[in-house]
Amino acid sequence: MKNTVVVGAQFGDEGKAKITDLLAENADFITRFQGGSNAGHTVVANGKKFAFHLVPSGILYENKTCMIGAGCVIKPDDLKNEIEGIISLGITREHFEKYLKISPLAHITMKYHTDTDGYSENILGKNKIGTTKKGIGPTYTDKYARMGIRAEDLFDKKNLEEKLDVILPKKNKELEFVYNLKPYTKEEILEECEEYRKILAPYIDFNWQENLLNYKNNKSILFEGAQGVMLDIDYGTYPYVTSSNPIAGGAGVGASMGPITIDRAIGVFKAYMTRVGEGAFVTELTDKTGEALREIGGEYGVTTGRPRRCGWFDAISAKYSVLVGGLSEAALTKLDVLDKFEEIKVAIGYKNKKTGEIITNYPTNPKTHYDYEPVYEVHKGWLQDISNCKKYDELPQNAKKYLARLEELLGIKITIISVGADREQTIFV
Ligand code: GDP
Ligand code: IMO
Ligand code: MG
């Protein structure tokens, strides 16, 4: 298999994990390159439903090495719960200890990060981002402020203590005077770090340089993204975004192997769209049709249980996503969810509600999105169950027409079509 990166191409939850899991079969090494346990990835395999947050879904196979890369942030107690959850479904602890690796360079989410994420969201009131409150933003903030704790620091007590002498007085000022929260003693932080050291110890890969070189030179690699292009810190609907780079370019940085290791970038699009949390969403449907998409598509968050906002496919943001996401081909998921819709709409323009002007280039300032309404193209539904289709030719004519039009609008080929959550419910074109 050519080295491939799988990227969410909308607002996250596109079904990336299903696609990653499928492609992992032909990869030797699967590496997650950004984000943390804000992600919620569901894989249905062998009749069981697995919930992933940070562990690459390749772990379900017998002999694939899976790495949580340098670009990720780790909340060790969440990781522990995630691993225990997967173990309870039949994957052994020995398997995890053999195949799961953690980059020593990944940053650690401390309790104070989670405290400040929750607090910031509460004080922002109606301007809140709608984060997962996992501490992701504050962990990345500290990383870039050069006051983060990395996984490797947990294993070097002397260095950690010296680091804390610099970080903690600053952090405590922030906690007390900005957030009105309880400061931490050095002993409390050292205790927390010791707890985290024990959780990460079986997985931390201090031999990562040699191992990655071997994978880079001799094996096939799958890069697993979280979130989606429209939640990217640089290219998404800023500031209603996550704090990392889900775009394919993020893989070059976060997986420690650079951009020219990657041969293909698959963008995963849902056949319609969803969003969790706040922020503009031009094709959002707040009516019965939106509710129908949510109920049929089971659109509730894996991490927070929040109902996902639903709407029609937006070809304006999708085309932008192909460009800035660096996508070379597309996977289209949840096509089966549209089985019962007589009409299926696709936004092919944004119309200014005041002036009537129609634009077809994506406006990067999301505040302006509220000035626009979608210009829809209406497609006839196929009104039949496609969840058992195994080949492209078995799809109804109207479904083929819908796919062909999306391909045309995206400007890249749809090479994978998903018609159900199961591994088997996939059409490779
Ligand atoms: P991710 O975060 O991008 O990996 O996506 P999530 O796992 O959060 O959400 C996708 C949901 O849709 C999961 O519950 C999947 O099991 C499910 N799913 C994935 N592909 C399909 C599909 O083609 N059809 C249907 N009906 N469900 C799907
Ligand atoms: P997967 O990988 C959907 C959203 C949050 C919020 C914004 C910022 O399953 O696609 P954060 O906690 O990251 O600071 O929240 O990003 N968000 C996601 N939405 N899927 C995800 O991950 C998400 N991860 C974060 O809802 O709007
Ligand atoms: Mg998800």
Side-chain angles (χ1 to χ4, degrees):
M1 190 181 89
K2 284 184 172 176
N3 293 342
T4 304
V5 53
V6 176
V7 170
Q10 294 161 328
F11 291 111
D13 302 326
E14 301 88 350
K16 298 174 289 292
K18 174 187 161 165
I19 304 300
T20 314
D21 168 67
L22 281 171
L23 298 176
E25 191 177 1
N26 296 316
D28 303 299
F29 178 64
I30 299 103
T31 175
R32 172 82 179 264
F33 57 88
Q34 47 72 230
S37 53
N38 47 349
H41 298 168
T42 310
V43 175
V44 181
N46 312 323
K48 289 182 191 163
K49 196 168 171 176
F50 296 86
F52 289 93
H53 297 282
L54 191 55
V55 175
S57 48
I59 204 76
L60 296 180
Y61 290 93
E62 265 181 15
N63 53 354
K64 319 269 179 199
T65 301
C66 293
M67 185 150 195
I68 298 172
C72 296
V73 296
I74 303 172
K75 191 167 179 293
D77 41 341
D78 273 2
L79 180 64
K80 184 178 171 196
N81 291 338
E82 181 180 348
I83 292 173
E84 294 305 326
I86 300 168
I87 286 176
S88 75
L89 290 170
I91 306 293
T92 65
R93 196 172 302 281
E94 293 70 39
H95 179 81
F96 266 100
E97 292 182 1
K98 186 162 180 199
Y99 291 108
L100 179 66
K101 309 281 172 205
I102 292 177
S103 168
L105 303 186
H107 277 250
I108 301 296
T109 297
M110 300 295 293
K111 288 199 181 97
Y112 50 72
H113 292 129
T114 319
D115 296 346
T116 52
D117 195 358
Y119 189 86
S120 301
E121 282 291 281
N122 291 340
I123 53 168
L124 278 169
K126 73 174 177 44
N127 294 318
K128 71 174 196 258
I129 307 293
T131 74
T132 56
K133 297 191 183 174
K134 292 281 184 189
I136 304 296
T139 312
Y140 278 110
T141 302
D142 279 357
K143 164 176 166 167
Y144 288 104
R146 294 163 293 191
M147 54 185 279
I149 295 173
R150 304 205 287 194
E152 67 180 5
D153 298 331
L154 305 175
F155 295 82
D156 179 348
K157 197 157 180 232
K158 185 168 171 286
N159 164 56
L160 179 64
E161 289 209 24
E162 282 170 13
K163 216 167 170 173
L164 288 178
D165 287 336
V166 179
I167 295 173
L168 201 56
K170 218 165 143 186
K171 182 53 68 183
N172 276 338
K173 278 210 176 85
E174 182 191 327
L175 288 169
E176 275 189 279
F177 301 116
V178 178
Y179 293 99
N180 202 19
L181 289 169
K182 175 183 96 51
Y184 285 85
T185 63
K186 190 171 164 187
E187 287 63 40
E188 284 172 321
I189 299 290
L190 285 171
E191 219 171 279
E192 188 185 346
C193 286
E194 176 55 16
E195 194 186 309
Y196 295 166
R197 186 192 64 77
K198 284 189 193 143
I199 296 173
L200 302 194
Y203 315 112
I204 188 113
D205 185 9
F206 286 112
N207 207 21
W208 66 274
Q209 296 175 35
E210 204 174 301
N211 289 336
L212 286 194
L213 200 61
N214 174 37
Y215 285 114
K216 196 172 168 175
N217 290 337
N218 309 307
K219 309 277 181 184
S220 79
I221 305 165
L222 183 62
F223 300 85
E224 175 170 5
Q227 290 84 45
V229 175
M230 302 313 292
L231 290 174
D232 185 277
I233 185 75
D234 290 302
Y235 297 101
T237 53
Y238 190 88
Y240 298 92
V241 291
T242 194
S243 300
S244 61
N245 287 114
I247 53 168
V253 180
S256 320
M257 283 179 277
I260 55 173
T261 314
I262 303 166
D263 305 300
R264 303 160 77 192
I266 303 182
V268 185
F269 293 87
K270 229 176 246 189
Y272 49 97
M273 266 170 102
T274 62
R275 174 164 206 171
V276 202
E278 310 305 314
F281 179 1
V282 179
T283 57
E284 180 172 13
L285 296 164
T286 51
D287 58 2
K288 282 213 159 61
T289 310
E291 270 169 41
L293 284 171
R294 183 176 312 115
E295 292 317 311
I296 301 171
E299 298 296 356
Y300 293 88
V302 183
T303 299
T304 59
R306 289 178 289 179
R308 295 173 181 154
R309 300 155 64 193
C310 296
W312 294 120
F313 192 94
D314 177 355
I316 301 304
S317 77
K319 200 177 71 180
Y320 170 77
S321 190
V322 170
L323 174 71
V324 301
L327 310 178
S328 60
E329 56 195 276
L332 195 85
T333 63
K334 302 192 105 163
L335 190 61
D336 55 298
V337 174
L338 301 180
D339 282 355
K340 293 197 171 108
F341 288 83
E342 282 183 19
E343 286 187 338
I344 297 160
K345 296 184 182 175
V346 178
I348 53 162
Y350 289 175
K351 181 175 172 186
N352 191 301
K353 289 182 211 163
K354 280 195 195 121
T355 65
E357 184 204 5
I358 293 174
I359 57 165
T360 54
N361 264 336
Y362 174 79
T364 51
N365 179 355
K367 266 202 186 311
T368 66
H369 291 195
Y370 298 100
D371 301 335
Y372 293 102
E373 61 190 20
V375 179
Y376 283 125
E377 178 177 272
V378 183
H379 293 254
K380 272 202 188 129
W382 40 93
L383 300 174
Q384 72 182 75
D385 180 0
I386 60 166
S387 62
N388 291 315
C389 293
K390 300 270 181 280
K391 292 187 189 135
Y392 179 81
D393 286 341
E394 292 170 17
L395 288 171
Q397 206 52 36
N398 285 351
K400 286 183 188 160
K401 278 189 192 162
Y402 183 62
L403 290 165
R405 179 60 175 146
L406 292 187
E407 257 186 0
E408 187 179 24
L409 290 163
L410 292 173
I412 52 172
K413 290 274 174 219
I414 297 173
T415 54
I416 303 172
I417 301 159
S418 173
V419 294
D422 250 74
R423 280 178 178 168
E424 289 70 35
Q425 293 174 296
T426 313
I427 300 169
F428 289 93
V429 185

